[in-house]
């Protein structure tokens, strides 16, 4: 519990665990794109994805479970655009219901998975924070965020993630409101555009310093890395921005980076994200190595992308569950393990009996390498194991390379 003024604000176990893991310095894996995943589940982009918390809760939960299974330590609620202004564009006004349902669905997914996963309440821009914000407009925006954030806090969210904000003035309003209402960890992430005025002409490093000064526990970049790389949000561009943030705030302030699945290219009548999971893995490793502490995905990223991030995190000592399981869940897991029939141990098959190749290897090892001074001198081809490396020509057929290897 944390007392702030006359208010006493509670932190969840997940929030406390997140603070602990941030202090320990281990890499943390964040989930991927909710919108992309819901679209793949048949939800059209003409609808508000946040409404699915009411109309298609099972699909939202399925997305959460897929990211948890891929290795995400943090999942974000399906509430990115669940503020008064954004929902009104789709004729919706049930802000509290949608936000609390979003938290509940995420909680159900975590409980069903049996893993220790942190739930971050996703909060995005209102769309009203562009350009100059006068006092009246600032109050309207702050009021909209108050309703959204309070709804998620009351539902028991572990952390709050402000993400994809382009305008520095708007994220400051949101961040101020979060700190008034919430005692748990707060992530503040910008999406840099080709409009320098949006950040008062500050670069990523200065923006990171300001976000931390205004109360963010974690600062970062997602979706758009346009500062110096106009219009790009792929791993390479996000890496450049995140690296500058790390240098500006130092190792004491955790930095987050959530790239898109590459920069979309127009192919026919479709926008295609060209970055493969392997490419994502390369940059996830580079991000962790550069000092970035939290890595996830934004637009176009699916569970395979996050599995690549989890693989990179394990290389740097992270990637495991960051929240201890409840005692009841631990006991249930032990009980289930105890009732399983014990596996019957089988004797391993000797190397000399597995395949023709293994038999030859075993024989040569015995005759030539394991015999000490009595080792047998090689006489012919049967006394060697030959390995052939083949670089095949472009194409799908392997007939010619295999024929050449047999020669």
């Amino acid at each position: 519990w944390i007392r702030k003024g006359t208010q006493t604000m509670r932190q969840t176990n997940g929030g406390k665990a997140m603070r602990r893991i941030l202090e320990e310095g281990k890499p943390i894996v964040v989930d991927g794109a909710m919108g992309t995943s819901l679209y793949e589940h048949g939800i059209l982009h003409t609808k508000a994805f946040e409404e699915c918390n009411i109309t298609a809760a099972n699909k939202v939960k399925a997305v959460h479970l897929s990211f948890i299974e891929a290795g995400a330590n943090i999942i974000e609620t399906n509430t990115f655009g669940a503020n008064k202004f954004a929902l009104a564009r789709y004729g919706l006004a049930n802000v509290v219901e949608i936000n609390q349902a979003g938290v509940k669905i995420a909680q159900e997914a975590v409980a069903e998975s049996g893993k220790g996963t942190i739930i971050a309440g996703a909060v995005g821009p209102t769309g009203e924070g562009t350009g100059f914000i006068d006092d009246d407009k600032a109050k309207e925006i702050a009021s909209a965020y108050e309703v959204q954030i309070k709804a998620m806090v009351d539902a028991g969210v572990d952390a709050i993630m402000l993400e994809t904000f382009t305008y520095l003035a708007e994220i400051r309003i949101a961040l101020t409101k979060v700190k008034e209402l919430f005692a748990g960890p707060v992530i503040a992430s910008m999406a840099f555009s080709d409009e320098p005025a949006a950040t008062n002409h500050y670069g990523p490093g200065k923006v990171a310093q300001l976000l931390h000064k205004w109360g963010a526990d974690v600062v970062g970049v997602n979706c758009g890395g346009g500062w110096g790389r106009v219009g790009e949000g792929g791993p390479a561009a996000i890496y450049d921005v995140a690296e500058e943030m790390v240098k500006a705030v130092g190792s004491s302030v955790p930095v987050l980076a959530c790239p898109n699945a590459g920069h979309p290219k127009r192919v026919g009548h479709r926008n295609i994200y060209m970055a493969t999971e392997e490419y994502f893995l390369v940059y996830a490793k580079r991000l962790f190595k550069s000092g970035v502490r939290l890595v996830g995905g934004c637009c176009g990223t699916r569970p395979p992308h996050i599995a690549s991030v989890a693989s990179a995190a394990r290389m740097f000592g992270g990637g495991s569950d960051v929240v201890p399981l409840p005692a009841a869940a631990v006991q249930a897991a032990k009980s289930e393990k105890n009732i399983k029939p014990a596996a019957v141990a089988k004797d391993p098959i000797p190397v000399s009996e597995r395949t023709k190749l293994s038999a030859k290897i075993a024989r040569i090892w015995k005759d030539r390498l394991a015999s000490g001074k009595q080792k047998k001198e090689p006489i012919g081809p049967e006394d060697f194991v030959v390995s052939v490396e083949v670089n095949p020509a472009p194409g799908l057929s392997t007939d010619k390379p295999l024929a050449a290897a047999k020669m």
Side-chain angles (χ1 to χ4, degrees), residues 3-21:
R3 180 170 295 278
K4 200 166 188 178
T6 58
Q7 288 184 313
T8 301
M9 297 186 290
R10 180 177 62 87
Q11 288 192 82
T12 64
N13 289 334
K16 294 174 184 176
M18 182 173 172
R19 289 198 184 281
R20 187 193 70 247
I21 203 74

Side-chain angles (χ1 to χ4, degrees), residues 91-154:
L92 301 172
N94 49 339
V95 175
V96 173
E97 181 187 16
I98 288 175
N99 280 280
Q100 294 195 336
V103 175
K104 181 182 177 183
I105 294 168
Q107 290 169 336
E108 290 175 354
V110 170
E112 190 172 318
S113 73
K115 296 186 177 181
T117 307
I118 292 167
I119 299 170
V123 178
T126 61
E128 301 292 315
T130 60
F132 175 73
I133 303 177
D134 60 26
D135 291 343
D136 290 338
K137 177 58 70 175
K139 289 178 182 177
E140 288 183 34
I141 293 172
S143 176
Y145 282 131
E146 180 173 3
V147 174
Q148 180 183 12
I149 293 163
K150 188 176 186 305
M152 289 193 285
V153 171
D154 289 344

Side-chain angles (χ1 to χ4, degrees), residues 221-244:
V221 55
N222 74 286
C223 193
W227 190 268
R229 306 283 295 268
V230 175
E232 294 188 18
I238 295 296
Y239 172 82
D240 290 344
V241 173
E243 186 180 38
E244 188 172 335

Side-chain angles (χ1 to χ4, degrees), residues 254-297:
V255 173
L256 165 139
C258 293
N260 294 337
H263 184 56
K265 297 185 182 299
R266 191 72 173 173
V267 179
H269 297 286
R270 301 172 63 195
N271 283 326
I272 304 295
Y273 287 94
M274 307 301 286
T276 63
E277 293 84 4
E278 292 78 11
Y279 178 75
F280 218 75
L281 172 62
V282 170
Y283 270 94
K285 289 191 286 188
R286 290 181 181 178
L287 285 163
F288 283 130
K289 189 175 182 179
S290 73
V292 172
R293 296 272 300 283
L294 298 87
V295 177

Side-chain angles (χ1 to χ4, degrees), residues 19-37:
R19 289 198 184 281
R20 187 193 70 247
I21 203 74
L22 288 174
E23 290 174 0
E24 291 175 354
K26 293 183 179 180
I28 299 177
V29 182
V30 185
D31 65 3
M34 173 62 73
T36 298
S37 300

Side-chain angles (χ1 to χ4, degrees), residues 353-368:
E353 298 176 14
R354 295 176 189 175
T355 65
K356 290 182 179 179
L357 174 61
S358 67
K360 185 176 183 180
I361 291 172
R363 177 178 57 78
I364 292 173
W365 171 261
K366 179 181 178 182
D367 293 346
R368 294 189 51 212

